[in-house]
């Protein structure tokens, strides 16, 4: 029997631990019905999530025919174009594409961006209520910071970030087949924009990671023009969307728990530790992409057959008591913290260093500037986007609070 869990419901997002525990009681791998994807196996333990993500010989994103596990027959061709990125590749194509951009995301390079990230966060915190109060923290702060950072990294004009915010806002609301067709104008607009910018860089040069990718192409690097467009789309969208929800979710938890906010504010040297716990507890990305099973395999006593599909449930892995003792309380001082919020294996998140630094300075700048920041609505009024697989608060209205 397929467990009935609505991964898009407010009940689930408000208390995911309860639903995840029920799933885990069904077994270490369970068959669920997931929006858009359909019927699919899902892991409920960290050990099995780790196994699925690391065993790329048994669990692959593509079939030998090139079919991508998450694609459905009715999806428009342009969606398939954007899916032609390293996130939807197995080896050796994954490594071929990742190597082109890997250097820009290494720790040394990201640490060099730290002063700029901190300065941007402080400026955005100063301007939080510039357009009035209450302010929606998601749109005025949590989305703008990572979007500004990734635009700078890619070499895209900051003046265009409003366009990106509107496009990304539509893409993060996908809940079913009809939404794919409703979002097509945004998708085509993004494709035209990226193609035009890449062509400008080809002809006139430029700065940033896009210019570096074009240089690799010109020097005979193994990347097609379609792959360049897909890569820029991936880096722009994935490079800010999940960090947006890490920041807004973290602030939400601190405003619900003033004692934790005060504990953090007493010593900002604790911020790195706190961000790791927010990553575990919130799991901004709840599931990985589906994978095909290449051979019959025993997963915790369940036989999953060749040709079936499986998803690693990161949210369940991070709340697995076998990996993190007493996982349900939010413990900002948790040590050790064995989360896999960034995945693992060959698809381990390229931007993990960047997300951690953005999360830390977003919290520090915001709460130093507005130490009494408060929700502007009852906590029960906070709602999440009905997007399965993404822990995304829709709006987070805040006021400055009393000093």
């Amino acid at each position: 029997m397929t467990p009935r869990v609505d991964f898009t419901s407010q009940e689930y997002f408000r208390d995911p631990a309860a639903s995840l525990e029920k799933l885990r009681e069904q077994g270490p791998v369970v068959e669920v019905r997931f929006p858009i994807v359909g019927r699919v196996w899902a892991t409920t333990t960290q050990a099995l999530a780790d196994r699925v993500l690391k065993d790329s010989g048994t669990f692959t994103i593509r079939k030998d025919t090139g079919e991508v596990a998450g694609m459905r027959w009715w999806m428009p061709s342009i969606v398939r174009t954007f899916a032609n990125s390293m996130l939807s590749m197995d080896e050796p194509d994954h490594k071929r594409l990742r190597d082109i951009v890997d250097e820009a995301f290494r720790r040394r390079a990201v640490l060099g961006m730290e002063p700029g990230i901190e300065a941007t966060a402080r400026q955005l915190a100063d301007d939080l209520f510039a357009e009035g109060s209450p302010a929606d923290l998601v749109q005025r702060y949590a989305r703008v910071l990572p979007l500004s950072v990734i635009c700078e990294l890619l070499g895209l004009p900051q003046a265009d970030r409003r366009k990106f915010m509107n496009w990304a806002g539509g893409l993060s609301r996908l809940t079913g087949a009809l939404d794919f067709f409703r979002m097509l104008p945004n998708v085509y607009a993004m494709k035209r924009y990226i193609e035009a910018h890449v062509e400008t860089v080809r002809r006139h040069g430029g700065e940033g990671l896009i210019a570096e990718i074009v240089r690799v192409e010109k020097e005979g690097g193994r990347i097609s023009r379609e792959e360049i467009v897909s890569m820029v789309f991936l880096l722009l969208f994935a490079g800010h969307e999940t960090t947006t929800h890490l920041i807004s979710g973290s602030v939400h938890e601190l405003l619900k728990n003033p004692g934790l906010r005060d504990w953090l504010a007493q010593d900002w040297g604790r911020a790195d530790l706190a961000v790791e716990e927010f990553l575990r507890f919130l799991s901004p990305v709840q599931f990985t992409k589906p994978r095909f099973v290449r051979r019959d395999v025993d997963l915790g006593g369940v036989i999953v057959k060749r040709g079936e599909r499986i998803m690693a449930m990161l949210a369940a892995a991070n709340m697995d008591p076998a990996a993190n003792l007493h996982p349900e309380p939010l413990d900002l001082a948790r040590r050790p913290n064995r989360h896999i919020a960034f995945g693992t294996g060959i698809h381990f998140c390229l931007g993990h260093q960047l997300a951690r630094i953005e999360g830390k300075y977003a919290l520090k700048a915001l709460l130093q500037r507005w130490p009494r920041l408060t929700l502007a609505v009852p906590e029960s009024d906070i709602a999440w986007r009905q997007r399965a697989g993404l822990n995304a608060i829709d709006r987070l209205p805040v006021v400055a609070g009393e000093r």
Side-chain angles (χ1 to χ4, degrees):
M1 177 175 142
T2 302
R4 296 181 64 84
V5 175
D6 183 353
F7 295 109
T8 68
S9 70
Q10 297 302 304
E11 178 185 12
Y12 170 76
F13 285 120
R14 192 164 289 282
D15 184 16
S19 295
L20 296 175
E21 181 57 31
K22 288 179 183 176
L23 284 176
R24 194 175 296 111
E25 289 172 357
Q26 300 281 330
V29 58
V30 295
E31 199 172 26
V32 300
R33 186 172 294 281
F34 197 81
I36 298 175
V37 174
R39 193 180 294 268
V40 62
W41 290 100
T43 63
T44 67
T45 68
Q46 190 167 118
L48 279 188
D50 194 71
R51 179 178 170 185
V52 167
L53 296 177
K54 287 182 176 177
D55 185 358
S56 53
T58 303
F59 308 100
T60 62
I61 291 179
R62 291 174 180 255
K63 286 184 176 180
D64 293 337
T65 60
E67 179 186 349
V68 179
M71 286 291 156
R72 306 305 295 264
W73 64 269
W74 46 261
M75 289 183 179
S77 60
I78 192 169
V79 175
R80 298 174 187 274
T81 298
F82 278 141
N84 194 30
S85 71
M86 58 187 169
L87 195 62
S88 299
M89 297 284 189
D90 297 309
E91 301 295 31
D93 286 322
H94 169 266
K95 185 177 188 303
R96 170 177 62 84
L97 295 174
R98 182 161 176 148
D99 283 351
I100 293 172
V101 295
D102 192 52
E103 185 61 34
F105 290 91
R106 292 191 189 277
R107 181 170 176 79
R108 180 182 65 255
V110 171
L111 287 177
M113 300 174 67
E114 198 166 359
I117 292 172
E118 182 175 18
T120 300
R122 290 188 179 280
Q123 183 62 57
L124 291 172
D126 283 344
D127 295 342
L128 179 61
F129 297 106
E131 296 178 21
S133 179
D136 176 10
L137 189 100
V138 177
Q139 288 300 104
R140 294 194 194 174
Y141 189 75
R143 188 174 292 281
V144 183
L145 174 61
L147 185 57
S148 297
V149 172
I150 198 64
C151 282
E152 180 179 349
L153 181 63
L154 289 171
L156 293 170
Q158 292 286 350
D160 289 339
R161 73 185 184 192
R162 179 60 60 181
K163 292 180 186 176
F164 304 142
M165 286 175 67
N166 291 336
W167 289 334
L171 292 175
S172 65
R173 295 180 186 274
L174 289 174
T175 60
L178 287 177
D179 292 323
F180 270 90
F181 296 93
R182 292 192 186 106
M183 77 173 187
L184 284 181
N186 279 358
V187 174
Y188 280 110
M190 286 189 76
K191 184 173 184 287
R192 287 193 298 269
Y193 177 92
I194 293 171
E195 288 173 336
H197 184 82
V198 170
E199 189 57 35
T200 297
V201 172
R202 280 197 191 99
R203 292 183 178 183
H204 306 294
E207 300 294 329
L209 188 51
I210 292 176
E212 177 62 20
I213 295 169
V214 169
R215 181 191 65 77
V216 170
E217 177 202 31
K218 284 185 172 181
E219 293 178 359
R222 294 176 56 227
I223 183 169
S224 69
R225 295 203 167 194
E226 184 179 87
E227 286 173 337
I228 291 176
V229 172
S230 296
M231 181 176 285
V232 173
F233 173 81
L234 172 66
L235 294 174
L236 177 60
F237 186 71
H240 87 274
E241 183 67 24
T242 55
T243 309
T244 293
H245 307 309
L246 169 65
I247 294 169
S248 57
S250 300
V251 174
H252 177 231
E253 292 297 328
L254 292 176
L255 298 189
K256 286 198 307 181
N257 301 280
L260 293 180
R261 178 187 62 192
D262 295 343
W263 176 86
L264 185 57
Q266 286 169 9
D267 180 3
W268 283 102
R270 299 165 170 170
D272 288 325
L273 201 61
V275 167
E276 294 306 309
E277 177 66 349
F278 284 129
L279 284 163
R280 183 197 72 82
F281 189 80
L282 296 170
S283 295
V285 177
Q286 302 259 295
F287 288 78
T288 65
K289 282 183 171 292
R291 282 153 169 79
F292 288 113
V293 181
R294 295 181 66 91
R295 59 179 176 82
D296 291 2
V297 61
D298 185 330
L299 296 178
V302 178
I303 302 300
V304 179
K305 295 188 176 297
R306 179 178 181 273
E308 294 183 322
R309 296 173 302 162
I310 189 167
M311 297 169 71
M313 198 187 320
L314 302 181
N318 290 339
M319 296 298 281
D320 182 359
N324 291 288
L325 195 62
H326 306 304
E328 191 164 348
L330 176 65
D331 179 4
L332 299 187
R334 183 181 296 273
R335 292 189 186 194
N337 194 327
R338 299 186 179 92
H339 73 77
I340 57 168
F342 294 113
T344 189
I346 64 170
H347 288 281
F348 181 73
C349 178
L350 183 68
H352 69 102
Q353 301 281 9
L354 196 57
R356 286 176 160 118
I357 289 175
E358 290 173 0
K360 175 173 74 173
Y361 285 113
L363 294 177
K364 183 177 180 181
L366 181 70
L367 296 180
Q368 284 187 335
R369 179 64 180 86
W370 309 105
R372 297 295 118 203
L373 194 73
T374 305
L375 287 175
V377 298
E379 201 282 325
S380 58
D381 287 354
I382 302 301
W384 282 256
R385 294 190 175 186
Q386 292 181 292
R387 168 74 187 275
L390 199 64
N391 184 353
I393 291 175
D394 191 28
R395 296 180 64 255
L396 193 64
V398 295
V399 293
E402 298 295 329
R403 285 189 175 272

